Amino acid sequence: MHPLLSLLKHQGARSTTELGRLLGTSAENARRQLNRLAADGLVALEARATSHPGRPRHIWSLTPLAHARFPDTHADFSMRMVHAIRQTFGENALSRLIALREAEDRQRYTNALAEATTPAVRIGRLAELRSQEGYMADWHRNRDGSFDLIENHCPICAAAGSCVDICAAELGVFQSVLGAATIRRTEHIICGDRRCVYRITVPEDRAGTAGPA
């Protein structure tokens, strides 16, 4: 995977100068690489208005072809399995299977987070686990003390798009393993956002040390 594609997936649309800085190279070198990726149909340049008069800001973003290069775990198979279970055994059977997966994930995450003593450490560890599963997850602590768990990719997007209970189950798992926290999804890939973001608020006396800015 080209590092610029990974950067755009993680960071969202960025200018040539920003991408050069993030890549640790010059803007001109980044521009040459971006032009080659554009020729392959993987990135596109767009103009956005700025708050100041003058020329618009030009930024690069991923194309649908580039998004398709990131892993979508057995997408077609997963989607067909959801449809087959629903048609053959009914909605209740599908709900039971999702509940089983939810219970397994809850137990696995609970075990992995058993020694994490503060919410900040628990959320950081959860992000690591999700990244290992292909979600390209990050996290940070906000100025108001809340946390954001950010998933820049969804490897089961096709299945989740055909069965919203899958996403609801994941939210339930997060709520369970993070204890007293209040969690709400503020961005959602299957609703058209470029990533999934979970805003996590914990009681002040349980917030622990700050995470990465």
Side-chain angles (χ1 to χ4, degrees):
M1 182 67 64
H2 195 287
L4 281 171
L5 298 182
S6 295
L7 277 175
L8 287 169
K9 185 69 169 175
H10 274 284
Q11 302 290 334
R14 289 290 185 272
S15 69
T16 304
T17 301
E18 290 172 319
L19 289 169
R21 177 177 54 80
L22 291 168
L23 197 61
T25 188
S26 66
E28 184 57 36
N29 184 42
R31 183 178 292 105
R32 285 195 294 268
Q33 296 184 56
L34 287 161
N35 285 334
R36 286 195 290 269
L37 292 170
D40 292 334
L42 297 173
V43 298
L45 189 61
E46 58 183 277
R48 291 190 181 177
T50 66
S51 57
H52 305 288
R55 298 178 61 185
R57 183 179 184 225
H58 291 85
I59 63 170
W60 295 90
S61 59
L62 296 178
T63 65
L65 180 62
H67 281 292
R69 290 199 171 191
F70 290 86
D72 191 352
T73 309
H74 308 298
D76 182 61
F77 176 76
S78 299
M79 190 164 54
R80 285 189 286 111
M81 282 295 294
V82 167
H83 178 73
I85 293 168
R86 182 180 280 133
Q87 293 298 313
T88 305
F89 302 107
E91 198 69 38
N92 287 339
L94 181 59
S95 296
R96 288 196 297 271
L97 286 174
I98 293 171
L100 177 61
R101 176 179 179 268
E102 180 181 357
E104 291 174 345
D105 286 346
R106 181 183 295 110
Q107 187 61 57
R108 181 161 50 85
Y109 291 164
T110 297
N111 293 341
L113 272 58
E115 297 182 3
T117 56
T118 68
V121 175
R122 294 177 72 82
I123 293 165
R125 180 57 181 148
L126 180 58
E128 292 176 3
L129 294 169
R130 298 292 284 181
S131 284
Q132 292 169 10
E133 296 169 11
Y135 289 86
M136 298 177 67
D138 298 314
W139 71 284
H140 63 252
R141 188 171 184 175
N142 301 305
R143 291 183 181 275
D144 64 0
S146 65
F147 301 85
D148 281 347
L149 174 64
I150 302 163
E151 296 181 343
N152 295 289
H153 182 63
C154 179
I156 59 167
C157 189
S162 63
C163 181
V164 295
D165 287 348
I166 294 174
C167 291
E170 288 187 334
L171 189 59
V173 169
F174 294 164
Q175 184 68 70
S176 177
V177 301
L178 294 177
T182 299
I183 306 174
R184 62 186 179 90
R185 188 187 286 113
T186 59
E187 297 180 44
H188 200 185
I189 290 175
I190 66 170
C191 291
D193 295 315
R194 74 168 186 86
R195 60 187 186 173
C196 290
V197 178
Y198 300 87
R199 177 63 50 84
I200 302 166
T201 306
V202 298
E204 289 186 10
D205 61 336
R206 302 189 184 189
T209 58

